[in-house]
Amino acid sequence: MKPNAILFVDIDETKITHYTYREPHFAAAKKMGLLCLTIARQGRPHTERLFADSDKVYLLESLSSESLHEMVLILQQTYHLRGIFCHAGHASASGQMGCIVAEICQKIGLPHAPSSSIAACNNKFLMRQALQKKGIRSIRYALCHSEKALREQAELIGYPVMVKPPFGAGSAFIKKCHNWPELQSYYRVFTAHYQHSAFTDFLGNIQTYATHEGVEYINQPGQSLLLEEYIDGIEGTVECVSTQVFVHPVLINEKLILTEKQNTVLENLLISPPVSFTATEQEQIRHYAIACIQAVGLKNAIAHLEFRMTADGPVVIEINPRLGGLFVNSAFRDLAGLDPYQLYLAILLQEKEIDSQIKQGQQRAMAAQQHYAMIALYPQNSGYFQGIDNIEYIKQNPCVIECLSQSAGCFINAETEEHYLLRCWAKVHDATHARALHDEILAHVKPIIVPVS
């Protein structure tokens, strides 16, 4: 009898990992009695990471759709592959791996999110189109490829405008522009420096697609930008679980402190459950999140949806076809009583009663009285990160449940992307307590950054 196994396609090749994703899923899989297999690119750096927790690692010359599909067919001769997955929000030089993996799963009959829905989530222009087609509340937007187009479309949308790459992650190159000189200056910085970003891989690859009116667009990484009408309101997130049939909005988080840097927007402090949204507004948010995820067609996935609550109701900022960052995993655990890694595997394995389990977690989260805070410490200036001074001070705080810091020794750009130098998950009484704890961290815990000479 062939042993049961899951397969992960790993494309995170940078010195400092962009995300911790394979490892916790493999830990959950081993508890379920599954073997853990990894496919990665031959010749990539840092292969020791892969061998540390994989039962078997396969290095391929190419991670094309054809080579992956061929390898999967070979593996099926030895293993009963129960699921294939990757970090669906990560594009790379090999293309959108989430879409490639989804297409392979469809070919061999394994449950997965549809390729088209992953593409619509990762490309914010396609997401806006999907919402528009379904009549879901959205905003004015335009995809631009030149200074001339940016200026013309910004005048039509009206200032202030938000500008960002249509693909992206790590809040790289996101800016609120109040006038044309600001927007023009931003575009010149973006085109000159995007290749130097730690998140260049996330900017996707060249793609051609058409609007509902038949107008063709080409997405050119490092040149194409999405302009959006500015959304005024309190910002938050909805952590959703989508099965084959239902969309469950399990958690709502509220962003208490946001910081606008030169070319990025940082999330400094979040609280869950939210404190500013009434019960009626939270119900609105849940219904809206369901409508948005159904509009893009996302199934068999955990999704991280960001929104702002306006005078007319919630308006989506983005939908990510994967588990949220910071401590969203801990929020699932402590507020909903759910292990998101085990949960995602259970969805891929189509386990029975999964919807019932998620509903119970959602009800538990909705009834929660204890508040939790996610706190992030970012660099104030660019340079080489050497560690955190006085980190023990915050680790010894009785409110802090978890505290993680970034690995030292890497160069960080403080103005164009987010870098979680330190992040904490803590119990708090309310928003006032959360803000006080955040301020305490800033006062006593300092990142050590050596500027470039």
Side-chain angles (χ1 to χ4, degrees):
M1 183 180 292
K2 297 177 184 178
N4 291 321
I6 59 166
L7 173 64
F8 183 81
V9 183
D10 194 296
I11 54 174
D12 193 358
E13 302 182 6
T14 53
K15 180 179 179 181
I16 303 298
T17 55
H18 283 310
Y19 44 78
T20 301
Y21 198 76
R22 183 196 68 254
E23 299 91 334
H25 279 101
F26 275 12
K30 289 176 180 178
K31 290 180 182 178
M32 301 166 72
L34 299 167
L35 291 178
C36 298
L37 316 177
T38 299
I39 284 179
R41 184 180 63 86
Q42 194 175 82
R44 63 164 277 168
H46 313 298
T47 53
E48 69 279 0
R49 297 178 193 156
L50 310 179
F51 287 95
D53 62 351
S54 305
D55 291 303
K56 194 77 175 179
V57 176
Y58 301 90
L59 301 175
L60 305 184
E61 185 176 342
S62 148
L63 295 183
S64 67
S65 177
E66 294 75 18
S67 62
L68 281 173
H69 188 204
E70 182 180 341
M71 189 65 204
V72 166
L73 295 178
I74 292 171
L75 291 176
Q76 283 185 311
Q77 297 173 18
T78 304
Y79 304 98
H80 179 203
L81 286 183
R82 301 290 307 280
I84 307 174
F85 68 113
C86 64
H87 188 281
H90 189 171
S92 74
S94 301
Q96 285 201 69
M97 193 52 60
C99 297
I100 292 172
V101 168
E103 288 161 4
I104 291 172
C105 287
Q106 183 180 18
K107 288 177 182 177
I108 65 175
L110 285 178
H112 205 279
S115 174
S116 59
S117 68
I118 294 173
C121 290
N122 286 336
N123 185 329
K124 299 172 185 68
F125 176 72
L126 295 182
M127 179 203 74
R128 293 286 175 203
Q129 285 211 306
L131 298 178
Q132 184 178 355
K133 183 177 180 181
K134 296 292 185 179
I136 307 298
R137 185 189 303 112
S138 186
I139 51 175
R140 296 187 296 274
Y141 65 99
L143 186 64
C144 304
H145 313 281
S146 66
E147 285 192 20
K148 180 175 182 291
L150 280 170
R151 187 166 193 171
E152 291 174 351
Q153 292 300 326
E155 291 293 336
L156 291 173
I157 291 172
Y159 290 100
V161 294
M162 295 300 297
V163 58
K164 64 188 73 170
F167 286 81
S171 297
F173 296 107
I174 297 178
K175 186 173 181 64
K176 179 183 178 182
C177 295
H178 299 82
N179 50 52
W180 169 241
E182 270 190 23
L183 183 55
Q184 182 183 44
S185 175
Y186 160 87
Y187 187 62
R188 291 176 179 178
V189 169
F190 170 68
T191 54
H193 297 288
Y194 90 98
Q195 285 185 322
H196 305 295
S197 169
F199 293 91
T200 300
D201 278 354
F202 285 89
L203 296 178
N205 49 7
I206 298 175
Q207 283 193 349
T208 302
Y209 37 81
T211 66
H212 301 308
E213 295 78 23
V215 180
E216 286 197 352
Y217 282 90
I218 297 176
N219 177 66
Q220 177 67 55
Q223 178 180 336
S224 301
L225 286 170
L226 183 65
L227 272 183
E228 293 183 335
E229 173 187 356
Y230 177 71
I231 307 168
D232 190 18
I234 298 172
E235 193 163 319
T237 75
V238 191
E239 314 305 331
C240 300
V241 182
S242 179
T243 62
Q244 185 64 32
V245 179
F246 298 104
V247 178
H248 304 275
V250 177
L251 298 166
I252 301 175
N253 304 309
E254 178 183 344
K255 301 181 184 182
L256 293 178
I257 301 178
L258 294 169
T259 303
E260 292 184 11
K261 302 286 283 185
Q262 184 177 339
N263 289 297
T264 187
V265 179
L266 305 176
E267 302 172 356
N268 305 80
L269 177 64
L270 295 88
I271 192 167
S272 186
V275 294
S276 300
F277 309 132
T278 66
T280 300
E281 287 175 330
Q282 290 184 51
E283 193 61 20
Q284 265 189 306
I285 291 166
R286 282 188 282 269
H287 284 298
Y288 180 75
I290 292 171
C292 288
I293 289 176
Q294 289 176 336
V296 297
L298 193 62
K299 298 180 179 180
N300 297 320
I302 293 180
H304 172 73
L305 183 149
E306 303 194 5
F307 70 95
R308 281 204 170 186
M309 176 57 83
T310 72
D312 297 321
V315 177
V316 67
I317 298 171
E318 63 185 40
I319 305 170
N320 297 290
R322 43 81 181 167
L323 183 68
L326 272 177
F327 283 102
V328 169
N329 58 331
S330 300
F332 267 97
R333 179 195 66 206
D334 293 341
L335 284 158
L338 296 170
D339 177 344
Y341 307 109
Q342 178 275 329
L343 186 62
Y344 181 51
L345 293 176
I347 290 170
L348 294 184
L349 271 57
Q350 298 285 280
E351 290 189 355
K352 295 180 180 179
E353 306 298 327
I354 190 68
D355 285 296
S356 176
Q357 179 187 353
I358 301 167
K359 286 178 182 176
Q360 289 176 13
Q362 180 181 336
Q363 292 299 319
R364 173 173 163 171
M366 289 171 61
Q369 298 298 310
Q370 174 66 58
H371 284 88
Y372 296 86
M374 301 183 206
I375 304 170
L377 180 64
Y378 300 96
Q380 294 301 308
N381 55 279
S382 300
Y384 286 92
F385 175 59
Q386 301 298 318
I388 301 289
D389 183 38
N390 202 26
I391 192 172
E392 291 305 318
Y393 176 89
I394 198 64
K395 286 184 175 181
Q396 292 168 4
N397 189 302
C399 296
V400 175
I401 302 169
E402 296 175 70
C403 182
L404 300 172
S405 60
Q406 181 171 303
S407 300
C410 60
F411 176 80
I412 51 176
N413 187 324
E415 296 298 333
T416 61
E417 58 208 18
E418 67 183 8
H419 290 275
Y420 300 133
L421 301 186
L422 179 72
R423 49 196 175 102
C424 299
W425 174 248
K427 280 187 177 182
V428 293
H429 306 309
D430 51 25
T432 300
H433 184 199
R435 291 177 184 275
L437 185 58
H438 169 266
D439 293 345
E440 183 181 349
I441 291 175
L442 290 184
H444 293 90
V445 181
K446 303 294 182 183
I448 305 167
I449 298 175
V450 179
V452 178
S453 57

